[in-house]
């Protein structure tokens, strides 16, 4: 929660770690967590050059979504889901975004994907996502817009 201090420390070593993709990912993620979405996007996009992690695209998607750029958010969530097809989280985020954008066909597809995914690692978060998607599917099936 001490984002300003963290950002200041990152900035103090910026020039020596400018070629390090993981550094840009961590700094970008900190910016996004602090609500500085444009700065976060700039750093996360730098990290793409030499750091391969689907979390980059989740963070980019969240930042774009917060800025109201839903198309870019969706593209980044899709990239993350293609990088790790067995990962539930990008599908969960896409389902929620499709629903908020009133795209019930895609929202239903993504909610069903999450609901039907086998659980690889037991955790409360996984069960919470599945439960939330079951509730969302019920809402989708009763919504008339």
């Amino acid at each position: 929660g001490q984002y300003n201090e963290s950002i200041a420390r990152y900035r103090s070593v910026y020039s020596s770690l400018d070629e390090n993709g993981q550094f840009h990912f961590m700094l970008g993620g900190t910016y996004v967590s602090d609500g500085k979405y444009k700065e976060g996007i700039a750093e996360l996009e730098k990290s793409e050059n030499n750091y391969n992690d689907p979390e980059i695209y989740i963070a980019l998607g969240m930042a774009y979504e917060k800025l109201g750029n839903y198309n870019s958010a969706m593209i980044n969530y899709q990239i993350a889901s293609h990088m790790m097809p067995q990962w539930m989280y990008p599908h969960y985020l896409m389902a929620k975004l499709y629903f908020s954008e009133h795209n019930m066909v895609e929202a239903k597809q993504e909610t069903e994907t999450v609901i039907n995914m086998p659980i690889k690692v037991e955790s409360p978060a996984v069960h919470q996502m599945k439960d939330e998607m079951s509730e969302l599917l019920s809402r989708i099936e009763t919504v008339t817009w």
Side-chain angles (χ1 to χ4, degrees):
Q2 297 177 345
Y3 301 118
N4 288 333
E5 182 180 324
S6 297
I7 290 168
R9 288 185 182 196
Y10 281 123
R11 300 299 300 172
S12 73
V13 295
Y14 196 93
S15 62
S16 62
L17 293 172
D18 191 35
E19 297 300 315
N20 184 310
Q22 187 175 12
F23 169 78
H24 289 290
F25 169 67
M26 298 301 291
L27 176 55
T30 303
Y31 275 129
V32 170
S33 295
D34 193 30
K36 297 174 181 164
Y37 305 115
K38 290 180 182 177
E39 295 91 338
I41 288 168
E43 292 301 323
L44 291 165
E45 287 178 346
K46 286 181 184 178
S47 75
E48 290 177 292
N49 295 331
N50 57 8
Y51 186 61
N52 188 25
D53 189 327
E55 290 278 355
I56 294 168
Y57 302 99
I58 294 296
L60 278 167
M62 290 177 162
Y64 280 120
E65 189 172 348
K66 290 290 188 180
L67 291 173
N69 188 338
Y70 302 125
N71 187 53
S72 292
M74 191 59 68
I75 288 168
N76 281 282
Y77 294 151
Q78 289 170 341
I79 292 169
S81 75
H82 292 303
M83 288 176 79
M84 294 191 60
Q86 75 282 6
W87 193 19
M88 191 178 295
Y89 194 50
H91 295 283
Y92 166 82
L93 293 171
M94 287 189 288
K96 290 175 63 168
L97 184 54
Y98 279 130
F99 184 79
S100 73
E101 288 295 293
H102 311 286
N103 184 339
M104 295 305 131
V105 172
E106 297 293 337
K108 182 176 182 182
Q109 180 179 337
E110 292 299 332
T111 57
E112 290 173 341
T113 297
V114 172
I115 291 166
N116 294 323
M117 280 185 139
I119 296 174
K120 303 280 186 191
V121 178
E122 286 288 333
S123 75
V126 168
H127 290 285
Q128 183 180 354
M129 280 190 279
K130 283 184 167 279
D131 291 346
E132 190 176 332
M133 290 295 100
S134 292
E135 291 173 18
L136 185 60
L137 184 59
S138 294
R139 291 177 62 197
I140 290 168
E141 291 174 342
T142 60
V143 167
T144 55
W145 299 18

